[in-house]
Amino acid sequence: LMPAPTTPVGFTVLWLHILVMDLLAGTWVYQRAQARGQHHAVTAPILLITLLMGPLGVLLYWLTERLSGAPWGSRVEQA
């Protein structure tokens, strides 16, 4: 593994990369939850966790889908 960036530019590039990936994951979770009619009270904390720690938020969303009985990977009808 490479050491963490030590220059301000390297740190900024790394931070932007992580931010963009978390925002994309959050957008995916939000759109999928809306399409499935998932309640905002369930979705909001998952979105917060996704924006702070992307993979953990996606994992939590996956668990809520599984617990609700929705098959993972099933197609969601787009309006």
Side-chain angles (χ1 to χ4, degrees):
L1 291 171
M2 299 283 295
T6 56
T7 65
V9 172
F11 179 78
T12 302
V13 169
L14 177 65
W15 184 80
L16 285 173
H17 170 74
I18 292 170
L19 180 65
V20 167
M21 294 306 292
D22 290 351
L23 286 172
L24 287 174
T27 301
W28 178 82
V29 166
Y30 176 78
Q31 290 176 345
R32 190 166 173 97
Q34 289 296 307
R36 292 188 177 285
Q38 193 170 24
H39 196 274
H40 296 298
V42 175
T43 307
I46 294 173
L47 284 173
L48 180 63
I49 293 169
T50 302
L51 292 175
L52 295 174
M53 299 171 281
L56 181 60
V58 172
L59 177 64
L60 285 174
Y61 179 72
W62 177 78
L63 289 173
T64 60
E65 266 198 1
R66 299 300 289 174
L67 292 174
S68 71
W72 181 254
S74 62
R75 295 279 181 201
V76 176
E77 295 297 324
Q78 299 293 327

